[in-house]
Amino acid sequence: MTTNLKQALKTHFGFDTFRSKLQEDVVKAVQRGDRDVFVCMPTGAGKSLCYQLPAVLAEGITLVISPLIALIQDQVDHLKELNIPACSINSKLPVSERRLILADLGSSNPKLKLLYITPEMVASPAFQPCLMDLCSRGLLSYLAVDEAHCVSQWGHDFRPDYLKLGELRARLQGVPCLALTATAPKNVQEDIIQSLRLSSPLSFLTPVFRSNLHYDVIFRELLPNPYVHLCAFIKKTLSLGGGSNGQGCGIVYCRTREGCETVAHQLTKLGVVAKPYHAGLKATDRTGVQNEWMQGKVLVIVATISFGMGVDKANVRFVAHWNLAKSLASYYQESGRAGRDGLPSACRTYYSPRDKEQINFLIRQEVARKQEKRGFAKDTDKTAMTDFEAMVSFCEQEGCRHATISKFFGNTAPNCAGACDYCRNPKLVRAQLERAATLSTK
Ligand code: ADP
Ligand code: MG
Ligand code: ZN
């Protein structure tokens, strides 16, 4: 069966191998068709193939739900290039084309393999009978819900229409359902499984633990000179992955433009050349700084979080957060830019309770602004607060930092083996917390 799958992968998609063991395992589980399947893999990991390959090999039609017509169009075009019969029914489709598709679906032996629709379409009375008809004739092979986090009110891309998918799923008796999303917090995962009414699904999660990343938290207010401390950290970490791989580099994240300017200035003064990067700079200057950093001419960039999206540099030896990230999910993503080459790298947060208060205040303000604009409060207004609290407790807890992150994303606690400050020396972490406590009561 494995050889057949590999053969099909090559024939239909032109790939020699699966992207990962996980991708292969998901495809096999979907193809078995006896269980619902839940997939959490990072963007770019190749989630689409997890339903596209089984869809091609199945007898009937696979119904794919995706949130945006643009996303759907990309996928359909791509499949058509591969000579895989795929199409989409959406509000923009000319009536004549829609008729052709519906005629094919109503025929005894439909040619179509993948049918993409938006969740709005699911509810459309014109489309419902067609769907139920396919189902009763046993011609629906799978129901795939892509970008499944859109069903969660805890997520940031919540789409009310996704909530209707639970009903759809319940009506499509006997059709295995596959839900896919990028790495998501556990509460979002639970929400997806519940809302889509997946029945004890097989879950496939990309492990979030990366053993080459060392995590620690330093209480900034306890330091005689935080800049000197940061400087020493940078010097030490930049010598980490040296040797044959050439000199490494690093990122310091700050919340504000002023913060970037100050930290870059202080570091440079202390002998570590660092350049600021933020939205206040002219676009050409910003690109200039980014290029210098990419080419290794400047080793340290001090940036707001606008920096880093799409930046893929292998030898980032450290990511330091001078200010708290706004959620544990974003912290994982931002700090995860370190050590892509697999070599030891350091992820450090400089924690400050004053910072916490400030960000707390800003988040509340933002929520109030949204409520005012909307005219009423929503349960989901709390989301930003809850997300931030997870980040705060990551810093304030006594426990393995890797375990906290892994559990947050629904993984089991990994074997940290000294890859965080707590596992290396729990007494130091406790001592720091105690000193911080006495400071705050003064
Ligand atoms: P995701 O939805 O997880 O973000 P996609 O499904 O869009 O990822 O796939 C990302 C890219 O990976 C696409 O260009 C896709 O063609 C490619 N890809 C998927 N599977 C494989 C594979 N087995 N080998 C090589 N490339 C692959
Ligand atoms: Mg995708
Ligand atoms: Zn640990």
Side-chain angles (χ1 to χ4, degrees):
M1 169 174 147
T2 308
T3 45
N4 285 347
L5 263 188
K6 282 235 169 86
Q7 189 58 51
L9 181 67
K10 179 75 182 164
T11 315
H12 297 285
F13 294 90
F15 299 137
D16 292 321
T17 56
F18 284 99
R19 249 292 162 73
S20 57
K21 173 79 167 43
L22 203 60
Q23 192 188 44
E24 180 171 0
D25 289 346
V26 177
V27 168
K28 285 180 181 165
V30 173
Q31 206 189 20
R32 265 199 314 276
D34 54 352
R35 296 270 294 272
D36 286 343
V37 171
F38 177 70
V39 178
C40 240
M41 290 181 354
T43 306
K47 289 187 285 296
S48 324
L49 190 98
C50 297
Y51 55 82
Q52 288 171 343
L53 180 54
V56 171
L57 299 174
E59 288 280 345
I61 292 158
T62 295
L63 184 68
V64 185
I65 317 289
S66 177
L68 299 170
I69 293 183
L71 281 179
I72 290 177
Q73 205 51 53
D74 274 356
Q75 293 224 7
V76 169
D77 290 348
H78 180 63
L79 290 167
K80 282 184 175 161
E81 272 168 35
L82 296 170
N83 280 319
I84 295 170
C87 72
S88 137
I89 297 188
N90 59 63
S91 52
K92 291 195 179 142
L93 197 73
V95 180
S96 57
E97 282 184 45
R98 177 188 295 215
R99 262 198 214 117
L100 279 178
I101 297 171
L102 291 177
D104 179 53
L105 294 178
S107 70
S108 59
N109 199 1
K111 285 198 283 297
L112 200 64
K113 281 288 146 205
L114 290 117
L115 176 62
Y116 282 79
I117 59 173
T118 58
E120 290 83 342
M121 202 62 214
V122 169
S124 138
F127 184 58
Q128 277 295 319
C130 165
L131 212 54
M132 297 321 291
D133 175 50
L134 280 172
C135 185
S136 65
R137 290 190 291 147
L139 284 173
L140 273 187
S141 4
Y142 310 107
L143 169 67
V145 181
D146 208 351
E147 314 290 347
H149 57 275
C150 293
V151 82
S152 172
Q153 317 217 20
W154 301 108
H156 295 281
D157 305 312
F158 173 57
R159 299 275 302 257
D161 277 310
Y162 260 70
L163 288 175
K164 295 178 191 144
L165 298 178
E167 252 169 69
L168 174 74
R169 201 268 157 282
R171 248 177 291 140
L172 300 180
Q173 285 292 325
V175 180
C177 179
L178 165 70
L180 310 104
T181 183
T183 317
K186 193 162 197 302
N187 59 352
V188 173
Q189 294 178 18
E190 284 164 352
D191 228 11
I192 293 172
I193 290 171
Q194 202 198 0
S195 298
L196 293 182
R197 304 190 204 173
L198 303 184
S199 51
S200 53
L202 280 173
S203 287
F204 294 89
L205 316 176
T206 301
V208 298
F209 176 56
R210 290 172 57 199
S211 58
N212 65 316
L213 300 186
H214 183 274
Y215 277 92
D216 67 5
V217 177
I218 303 288
F219 279 55
R220 216 171 59 207
E221 252 99 79
L222 298 175
L223 303 172
N225 186 335
Y227 299 113
V228 169
H229 196 274
L230 176 64
C231 194
F233 168 73
I234 293 175
K235 283 183 177 155
K236 190 168 156 231
T237 52
L238 284 188
S239 65
L240 266 180
S244 60
N245 227 10
Q247 183 130 39
C249 60
I251 309 171
V252 181
Y253 279 117
C254 295
R255 193 170 54 77
T256 64
R257 298 170 187 189
E258 299 74 43
C260 294
E261 294 287 343
T262 311
V263 172
H265 176 74
Q266 292 289 339
L267 286 177
T268 306
K269 225 170 67 178
L270 290 165
V272 169
V273 177
K275 290 213 172 162
Y277 177 103
H278 53 72
L281 300 173
K282 273 190 292 191
T284 49
D285 292 343
R286 232 172 26 232
T287 320
V289 173
Q290 177 165 337
N291 286 340
E292 282 181 303
W293 183 80
M294 287 301 291
Q295 293 158 7
K297 289 178 190 158
V298 172
L299 303 182
V300 180
I301 193 159
V302 187
T304 55
I305 52 163
S306 62
F307 178 78
M309 284 177 207
V311 170
D312 197 7
K313 202 166 189 296
N315 62 344
V316 177
R317 290 281 72 84
F318 76 86
V319 172
H321 278 70
W322 193 245
N323 303 107
L324 277 173
K326 70 174 197 319
S327 69
L328 194 53
S330 4
Y331 182 60
Y332 177 68
Q333 194 182 31
E334 288 152 24
S335 60
R337 295 190 175 118
R340 291 254 165 92
D341 55 7
L343 292 174
S345 308
C347 304
R348 167 170 291 179
T349 288
Y350 281 94
Y351 179 67
S352 143
R354 228 184 294 163
D355 229 36
K356 174 178 93 176
E357 295 313 322
Q358 229 170 43
I359 298 173
N360 236 321
F361 175 79
L362 290 171
I363 293 176
R364 282 176 203 284
Q365 207 178 31
E366 175 66 24
V367 168
R369 211 172 15 235
K370 274 196 196 145
Q371 282 178 354
E372 201 171 324
K373 213 169 135 195
R374 201 191 299 130
F376 57 92
K378 274 195 197 172
D379 279 358
T380 50
D381 287 342
K382 293 193 209 90
T383 307
M385 256 350 280
T386 325
D387 287 355
F388 181 59
E389 277 157 19
M391 184 64 228
V392 171
S393 55
F394 171 88
C395 297
E396 290 186 344
Q397 71 171 359
E398 278 181 67
C400 173
R401 316 276 181 198
H402 277 292
T404 305
I405 296 174
S406 286
K407 285 188 220 151
F408 178 78
F409 288 110
N411 287 204
T412 49
N415 177 15
C416 175
C420 84
D421 51 355
Y422 184 80
C423 292
R424 204 168 270 193
N425 192 341
K427 281 189 198 130
L428 278 183
V429 171
R430 164 163 294 183
Q432 179 173 247
L433 282 165
E434 282 168 358
R435 281 177 61 210
T438 53
L439 202 70
S440 68
T441 54
K442 264 182 205 163

